[in-house]
Amino acid sequence: MSTFRLEYWRRRLESKTFLICAFILMRLALEAGYIWLVSPIFSHAGFAWAPDLLKYIESWILFGLLLALAPVRIQKPSDYMVTILIAGLLLPVLSFYALAGQTREHLYIILLGYGMILLFRRGQALDLPLVKNGMQFALGISIVMVMIVSVWMVVSGGIRYFNLDLTQVYEFRHESEELTGRFGFQYMNVWAWKVFGPLLMVIGLWKRWWWLVAATIALHVLWFGISARKAVLFYPAVILVVWLWVRRIPATGLVPLAISIVVLAALGVYLIFDQLLWGSLFIRRVFYVIANNSFAYYEFFSQNPKVWWSNSVLSRFVEYPYDAPTALVIGQWQGTMAWVNNSFISTGFMHAGVFGVMLYGVLVGLLFRLIDSFSHKGVPVWMSVAVMIVPMRSLLISADLPTALLTHGIGVALIMLMILRSRKFKREMSRKPKQVQVRPRIRFVISK
């Protein structure tokens, strides 16, 4: 493709018009999935069909305001995270609010938390020190960690449950976790899957060390086979997509467009072939379960005692008010007995009501600003996004803030990004890009 054509499509894809159209398509696709698949089949699980015209119009107005403030291209890592927050949480919440007749008060509390994030992620980049030979240190630490975890998963006995069949993962997960999660490895295993493995792949892609990329993919296949965690198998694909996408055409509108294609394909498979698996996974589980759980958290903790971090950082000072973990408490209240995890905005309300939502919004906004600072004359944006994309998803979609920082590896990923920064990155990023001049084609026509 010529430079002129590439620049032409880049301008089109990085426009506000494309972003708005892509998000509208995504919402319409999700709502078609809710109307024809989720609600008819899973209404017993809380996915009611109770549309409200006024709420539906209101949700579209709020959706338009979100898109007006949304970034159109990834100029810093938090632009991607904001896009994922809109696509993965806020859009499904708005849709579920209108189609299932949910509470208005709870909706605006969620939006309040998002507003705090937008406000506090802005500001001047922090001036962070560079680590000498940081690349070598990051590479060495990652190699040692993945070797320790891989050897442990084999020698601990987890290898006996090795399985690559996606339909049988739940049959082996519990037994495998009991063996491989001993002696503190329940944390190290997750850090290897979500941080150290992806970091090795990021370095391999940046250096064009294809052997390291292949080895990392093989490790993720091994870890998936033993852990029975489906997401582990797809992490390398996510990193590869970021590498291909953010470096070339960092248009945020490609996120909702890609989601729309997947959702429509899953819905088509159900409507044409009567195969429910993919529609249940990619429409119900990925999007509407999160929305349903968000309102469930607000409803339960509006009527019952708040937690006030007595299950984590303040456990020595505040008495925990329940006889089970909060995620299980919600499942018991719903009657499913399942573990109901949800995003940091919901858990902020669980801890301290509206104050907790605002506090978490401020902290996550500052966290976004810190990650952006790593890419300010430090680490290329695509590398920061690729390193943070997996652990940050847990925070944005399914984990409490302290849990995400420790258990899901955000804290470890931040440390590795800090180490990874080098003067070589700084020199490369400080160079001004060369201006490419596109000369118009001139045709000479000789008439007879």
Side-chain angles (χ1 to χ4, degrees):
M1 182 179 291
S2 67
T3 304
F4 176 77
R5 289 182 178 272
L6 180 62
E7 290 299 321
Y8 172 82
W9 286 110
R10 178 176 294 158
R11 287 195 299 269
R12 293 296 183 270
L13 295 176
E14 293 177 1
S15 66
K16 180 66 79 170
T17 301
F18 175 76
L19 175 74
I20 292 174
C21 291
F23 265 114
I24 290 175
L25 176 63
M26 178 185 167
R27 175 163 180 174
L28 294 176
L30 280 177
E31 292 186 347
Y34 188 87
I35 294 170
W36 292 331
L37 187 154
V38 176
S39 183
I41 298 176
F42 299 100
S43 58
H44 64 279
F47 300 100
W49 175 245
D52 185 301
L53 179 60
L54 180 60
K55 289 182 177 180
Y56 192 71
I57 296 173
E58 177 189 13
S59 70
W60 274 97
I61 294 173
L62 293 171
F63 188 47
L65 294 176
L66 291 179
L67 297 186
L69 299 174
V72 297
R73 65 189 308 270
I74 302 176
Q75 297 177 306
K76 49 189 177 181
S78 67
D79 291 334
Y80 169 81
M81 298 166 194
V82 167
T83 303
I84 290 299
L85 194 55
I86 296 174
L89 177 62
L90 300 180
L91 189 159
V93 162
L94 286 170
S95 175
F96 189 68
Y97 163 75
L99 298 180
Q102 296 298 309
T103 309
R104 177 174 287 110
E105 176 186 352
H106 297 162
L107 171 66
Y108 282 91
I109 292 174
I110 296 174
L111 296 177
L112 173 63
Y114 176 69
M116 302 303 291
I117 294 172
L118 292 185
L119 181 62
F120 282 88
R121 84 175 179 116
R122 298 180 179 276
Q124 186 176 0
L126 304 175
D127 189 12
L128 302 171
L130 294 173
V131 177
K132 187 177 181 180
N133 299 321
M135 171 69 75
Q136 290 77 5
F137 277 121
L139 180 62
I141 293 171
S142 299
I143 290 175
V144 170
M145 288 300 298
V146 300
M147 289 181 62
I148 291 174
V149 167
S150 300
V151 171
W152 168 252
M153 293 183 75
V154 173
V155 302
S156 65
I159 191 68
R160 75 181 67 167
Y161 298 105
F162 186 84
N163 164 67
L164 297 180
D165 189 343
L166 289 170
T167 63
Q168 298 183 16
V169 291
Y170 297 108
E171 298 181 15
F172 304 99
R173 181 179 295 177
H174 179 70
E175 292 79 2
S176 176
E177 285 183 347
E178 284 190 344
L179 291 174
T180 61
R182 295 173 292 168
F183 310 118
F185 274 89
Q186 69 269 27
Y187 297 107
M188 294 180 62
N189 293 342
V190 175
W191 296 344
W193 306 336
K194 294 189 173 184
V195 180
F196 296 112
L199 181 58
L200 284 179
M201 187 167 181
V202 167
I203 294 175
L205 291 170
W206 181 69
K207 289 284 192 178
R208 300 297 197 274
W209 292 344
W210 307 119
W211 59 270
L212 183 57
V213 174
T216 305
I217 294 174
L219 279 175
H220 276 267
V221 173
L222 172 68
W223 295 338
F224 158 70
I226 296 176
S227 69
R229 295 281 178 179
K230 297 189 294 290
V232 175
L233 185 63
F234 297 102
Y235 291 159
V238 172
I239 304 301
L240 185 60
V241 168
V242 171
W243 177 68
L244 293 172
W245 162 44
V246 178
R247 290 183 314 123
R248 293 181 177 272
I249 305 179
T252 55
L254 293 176
V255 173
L257 178 62
I259 294 174
S260 302
I261 294 172
V262 173
V263 168
L264 290 173
L267 180 60
V269 169
Y270 167 70
L271 294 176
I272 297 173
F273 303 103
D274 198 27
Q275 295 294 322
L276 182 61
L277 175 62
W278 299 111
S280 175
L281 177 61
F282 288 113
I283 302 175
R284 181 191 66 88
R285 181 68 184 88
V286 173
F287 295 100
Y288 281 110
V289 165
I290 294 170
N292 189 9
N293 291 344
S294 297
F295 286 102
Y297 265 72
Y298 293 112
E299 183 178 353
F300 179 85
F301 289 105
S302 295
Q303 305 167 5
N304 295 280
K306 305 292 192 297
V307 176
W308 295 102
W309 295 278
S310 58
N311 63 339
S312 56
V313 295
L314 297 182
S315 58
R316 295 185 179 182
F317 309 100
V318 182
E319 183 179 357
Y320 184 64
Y322 302 102
D323 57 359
T326 52
L328 183 57
V329 168
I330 299 295
Q332 293 172 345
W333 175 68
Q334 291 179 327
T336 63
M337 305 304 293
W339 286 72
V340 181
N341 295 305
N342 209 244
S343 74
F344 70 97
I345 298 181
S346 297
T347 57
F349 187 85
M350 171 189 78
H351 287 297
V354 176
F355 169 77
V357 173
M358 295 179 66
L359 176 62
Y360 272 15
V362 171
L363 294 177
V364 172
L366 294 175
L367 177 63
F368 285 3
R369 185 179 169 191
L370 174 61
I371 297 170
D372 290 342
S373 298
F374 290 136
S375 293
H376 180 71
K377 297 183 179 180
V379 178
V381 173
W382 79 267
M383 293 183 72
S384 293
V385 173
V387 171
M388 298 302 305
I389 187 172
V390 174
M392 283 300 297
R393 185 186 184 279
S394 300
L395 172 67
L396 300 180
I397 304 299
S398 63
D400 192 14
L401 181 57
T403 303
L405 288 171
L406 177 61
T407 305
H408 293 281
I410 290 180
V412 177
L414 291 173
I415 294 173
M416 297 308 296
L417 273 181
M418 182 71 183
I419 296 174
L420 188 63
R421 299 171 75 242
S422 68
R423 296 188 182 279
K424 184 173 183 179
F425 285 142
K426 189 171 182 179
R427 288 194 300 268
E428 289 182 355
M429 297 180 69
S430 63
R431 296 172 184 167
K432 294 183 178 179
K434 295 181 179 179
Q435 298 294 328
V436 178
Q437 295 182 353
V438 181
R439 297 180 178 178
R441 296 181 179 180
I442 301 176
R443 293 184 178 181
F444 293 94
V445 181
I446 303 175
S447 58
K448 295 183 180 180

